[in-house]
Amino acid sequence: MQKLIKKMQKGELHVHLNGLASTSLVQKLLIEEKAEIPAGFNLNVDLLRTSPSTDLETYLKPWQVLRLIPRSKAALGLVIDSAFENLQSQNVTFVELRNSVIYIALLNNITISTALSWLIHEIDRASDKYSIKAGLIITISRGDYAPDHLRSLMEAYVQLGRPDRVIGLDLAGNEDTTSPVELGQLFRKAKEEQGLKITIHAGETGNPENIRDAIINFDADRIGHGTAAYKSLAVMDMLRDRDICVEVCPISNRLTGAVGAHESHPVSEFIKMGVPFVICSDNPSIHDSNINEDYLEFYRETHNIDILESMLNRQIKYTFLRGIN
Ligand SMILES: [Zn+2]
């Protein structure tokens, strides 16, 4: 099965740039760029999450230092090269990369539009170099500043002439954090006025209502994780009837605790109920893993080879990238 999976051509619809770059490169950049590592953070241990965390906050510990790099455009280029090398080794031929952009601006003392142009330029270069089609999804973090961040990012996007490389918006972060109500309206506005697609991390911390909120108030085209969907028949029906694809990340879901050690993964319910989904890897380097391992984990859960064999067609159907076939 491992060999068969390795040979399969793949698309990756849910992966964070910082969770895809190799751990050795991250360590090297943190040391070379003399980043101020928080007290008690062990670079040899805390960049990896290979056993289930008690909560999402604990799982997110590596981001305490991932936010401290890159400190130049050249270093960003190395991070992106490392990400594409990983994708190439897994036979991934198209990718939607996620990044929250603003920390790059703050870290390098540059404007958000310059930070966005760095990312676009380096993804352009790597996409050609590795022959992998690629788009950027801009991630907004939940919380009080989310509307301001989204407004600033959209200004930068417009200032750069609405580059094709930017394909969508994502909302991420702890779902227990409340965000101002206007945030949903701002996401919908970006979709209507700029044609950007929307994906929302929702239902990862146990609440199916967050999935309904993502669909109704954010007009989500896809849902990240959505593991809580099975708790609500109405939400399952909504996902199926509106053809909203769930980005299932089997290994991540175990490590964040979204799916408990003794529970079966809700993807089996998605199959039963006809809820559309694709398999993705989320933060493979943090998991000391790769997307092939996620395919394998899905197979262990479901023993469904037919779905694995049709996975590429699903990824092509639900990707935000244009011209993939
Ligand atoms: Zn994610």
Side-chain angles (χ1 to χ4, degrees):
M1 184 51 64
Q2 259 159 322
K3 272 190 193 159
L4 185 72
I5 288 172
K6 200 165 183 209
K7 268 195 214 150
M8 289 175 175
Q9 188 190 326
K10 299 170 197 81
E12 169 62 274
L13 274 54
H14 185 144
V15 69
H16 299 267
L17 174 63
N18 288 334
L20 180 60
S22 81
T23 304
S24 57
L25 176 69
V26 169
Q27 289 164 329
K28 185 170 166 269
L29 288 178
L30 284 165
I31 293 164
E32 276 180 10
E33 296 179 358
K34 298 188 173 58
E36 244 179 76
I37 309 298
F41 193 100
N42 183 336
L43 280 187
N44 294 319
V45 178
D46 294 332
L47 278 169
L48 295 177
R49 302 280 97 173
T50 53
S51 56
S53 300
T54 44
D55 52 43
L56 199 59
E57 214 57 51
T58 316
Y59 171 81
L60 294 173
K61 188 168 181 180
W63 276 264
Q64 289 178 10
V65 299
L66 287 170
R67 300 198 156 276
L68 306 177
I69 54 165
R71 289 177 192 236
S72 66
K73 186 168 182 281
L76 176 64
L78 294 176
V79 169
I80 290 180
D81 269 343
S82 169
F84 275 78
E85 268 166 33
N86 183 324
L87 295 167
Q88 196 175 51
S89 72
Q90 310 304 316
N91 205 11
V92 172
T93 55
F94 59 94
V95 61
E96 301 180 7
L97 275 175
R98 298 178 190 215
N99 188 266
S100 54
V101 188
I102 289 178
Y103 73 98
I104 297 176
L106 294 173
L107 206 53
N108 290 279
N109 206 14
I110 54 177
T111 62
I112 294 174
S113 85
T114 303
L116 185 57
S117 73
W118 282 13
L119 271 161
I120 290 168
H121 180 254
E122 292 302 327
I123 293 174
D124 282 350
R125 185 190 54 73
S127 175
D128 278 352
K129 180 175 168 185
Y130 295 92
S131 302
I132 296 175
K133 290 178 183 161
L136 175 67
I137 294 181
I138 298 175
T139 293
I140 315 293
S141 295
R142 285 188 163 85
D144 291 342
Y145 297 110
D148 288 343
H149 286 172
L150 179 52
R151 268 191 280 263
S152 305
L153 284 158
M154 292 318 297
E155 262 173 42
Y157 169 75
V158 170
Q159 209 179 324
L160 293 178
R162 301 181 174 88
D164 287 344
R165 194 63 78 182
V166 180
I167 54 174
L169 295 175
D170 165 40
L171 181 66
N174 193 337
E175 289 176 49
D176 298 330
T177 309
T178 51
S179 303
V181 282
E182 63 172 324
L183 188 60
Q185 192 195 333
L186 288 172
F187 266 76
R188 293 202 308 273
K189 190 167 172 240
K191 182 172 176 173
E192 281 157 26
E193 292 180 3
Q194 313 297 349
L196 293 171
K197 298 280 192 172
I198 308 288
T199 176
I200 307 283
H201 282 72
E204 191 182 8
T205 50
N207 189 353
E209 284 312 304
N210 293 341
I211 300 171
R212 188 202 304 274
D213 182 54
I215 297 170
I216 304 288
N217 294 323
F218 289 75
D219 201 9
D221 298 287
R222 296 196 319 240
I223 296 292
H225 304 298
T227 42
Y230 77 96
K231 294 180 183 175
S232 162
L233 203 57
V235 167
M236 292 286 267
D237 286 346
M238 199 181 252
L239 289 165
R240 184 195 53 224
D241 296 345
R242 298 186 186 210
D243 200 16
I244 293 170
C245 179
V246 180
E247 301 150 4
V248 171
C249 309
I251 293 175
S252 172
N253 294 157
R254 295 284 176 190
L255 295 175
T256 58
V259 180
H262 304 293
E263 293 173 63
S264 58
H265 194 287
V267 74
S268 299
E269 294 302 311
F270 296 170
I271 295 171
K272 253 188 241 163
M273 297 280 296
V275 169
F277 67 90
V278 288
I279 302 172
C280 319
S281 68
D282 205 13
N283 295 297
S285 295
I286 305 284
H287 308 153
D288 196 17
S289 176
N290 55 58
I291 192 169
N292 288 347
E293 293 292 328
D294 281 282
Y295 274 50
L296 199 57
E297 183 67 17
F298 169 82
Y299 181 73
R300 285 193 200 109
E301 291 276 352
T302 64
H303 297 284
N304 196 321
I305 183 79
D306 292 346
I307 290 183
L308 274 187
E309 282 180 339
S310 63
M311 191 47 60
L312 179 65
N313 287 335
R314 287 174 179 229
Q315 289 157 341
I316 290 170
K317 177 176 179 191
Y318 292 104
T319 183
F320 294 166
L321 281 161
R322 286 172 286 266
I324 301 286
N325 46 45

